[in-house]
Amino acid sequence: MNGQKVALVTGGMGGLGETISTKMVDAGYKVVVTYSPGNSQHGEWVKDMKAKGYDITAVACDVSDFDSCTKAVAEAQSKVGPVDVLVNNAGITRDTTFKKMDKVNWDAVLRTNLDSLFNMTKQVADGMVDRSWGRIINISSVNGSKGAFGQTNYSAAKAGVHGFTKALALEVARKNVTVNTISPGYIGTKMVTAIPEEVLNTKILPHIPVGRLGKPEEVASLVVYLASEEAAFITGANIAINGGQHMQ
């Protein structure tokens, strides 16, 4: 990597996002994370990371709101410089059957998980093209590929993530900007490990051929690779990392 590049990770304070952020610092990047404007713990998180040796910049951002993204990226770039790597990681779930799903929970998931890609990528893509170097890495889900009971909103949004990836990859490929999707399966984040052990052992693990949950570090390492010079020939790809649960 020539010089110290800047990576921006949305939803970088929680679960998978935190591991991606620290791995990117370990790989030599300046890292900026976004946090929800209502998260009053961001100061403590930054202080805790610094105590662990991770100097990470945090900016408030509602990824579902275009104007908020414009402001957040402008703040990030004024503090650390132009964004070279964008990791669209922020996401939410509002699970229920389609019969019970209301418009509010449909919109919330689509805006946070899919509209956010437009809102964030629009802020940085032109700069990457102008500099002839960039990496856009979109975090989707195994359920965007295979569907999931009670997740019509989430599965639709995550399937849309890869459609966005493929189309944008075609537009920017000649400018040395790659756009890729990572689709994790069940990863051992706090959210997943909070699932009752009986449910994990009877309904989830039996469907994962390798017989265990994925590790956040495994996904984060893939992000670091896709952001590297060595991955310059990979674009428009959807890389599954799910222990064999769903093979494309």
Side-chain angles (χ1 to χ4, degrees):
M1 188 167 61
N2 296 323
Q4 190 174 25
K5 294 192 184 297
V6 173
L8 192 159
V9 182
T10 66
M13 287 189 182
L16 181 58
E18 181 178 307
T19 305
I20 291 171
S21 300
T22 55
K23 277 277 189 185
M24 294 297 281
V25 173
D26 288 340
Y29 294 85
K30 291 181 186 176
V31 174
V32 182
V33 300
T34 69
Y35 63 90
S36 298
N39 182 356
S40 61
Q41 303 300 312
H42 68 276
E44 286 300 313
W45 184 88
V46 170
K47 188 185 297 183
D48 182 53
M49 286 293 106
K50 201 159 192 175
K52 295 175 180 176
Y54 295 102
D55 189 5
I56 296 174
T57 300
V59 296
C61 182
D62 175 359
V63 296
S64 70
D65 180 81
F66 185 83
D67 291 340
S68 180
C69 293
T70 301
K71 182 179 177 182
V73 174
E75 179 185 349
Q77 296 192 138
S78 72
K79 289 180 175 179
V80 298
V83 173
D84 301 293
V85 179
L86 172 64
V87 183
N88 284 308
N89 167 73
I92 61 171
T93 56
R94 296 289 185 270
D95 295 353
T96 188
T97 60
F98 186 73
K99 181 179 177 64
K100 296 178 181 178
M101 188 173 294
D102 58 24
K103 186 72 162 56
V104 171
N105 285 320
W106 172 268
D107 287 345
V109 170
L110 269 290
R111 286 173 180 164
T112 300
N113 296 12
L114 185 56
D115 288 0
S116 61
L117 269 68
F118 176 85
N119 296 341
M120 290 300 298
T121 307
K122 192 69 174 172
Q123 315 303 327
V124 302
D126 285 350
M128 292 177 179
V129 167
D130 290 344
R131 296 188 301 276
S132 295
W133 203 98
R135 301 286 186 264
I136 298 166
I137 301 165
N138 302 317
I139 307 299
S140 183
S141 166
V142 62
N143 292 341
S145 300
K146 74 177 189 63
F149 187 94
Q151 285 196 329
T152 51
N153 50 4
Y154 185 80
S155 296
K158 290 301 190 180
V161 166
H162 191 50
F164 176 97
T165 290
K166 290 189 288 185
L168 183 58
L170 291 172
E171 295 184 20
V172 298
R174 288 190 178 275
K175 294 296 185 178
N176 198 28
V177 178
T178 67
V179 191
N180 289 292
T181 301
I182 295 174
S183 291
Y186 283 93
I187 307 299
T189 59
K190 290 178 183 177
M191 182 175 70
V192 172
T193 55
I195 295 172
E197 190 174 350
E198 181 186 353
V199 175
L200 273 175
N201 291 336
T202 61
K203 295 189 175 180
I204 294 175
L205 292 178
H207 297 286
I208 303 175
V210 301
R212 65 170 175 86
L213 298 175
K215 299 175 184 176
E217 294 79 7
E218 292 171 320
V219 179
S221 294
L222 180 54
V223 171
V224 171
Y225 172 66
L226 288 177
S228 71
E229 292 284 1
E230 289 79 5
F233 202 55
I234 301 173
T235 196
N238 184 9
I239 302 177
I241 181 165
N242 60 44
Q245 181 185 1
H246 180 69
M247 301 184 187
Q248 296 172 303

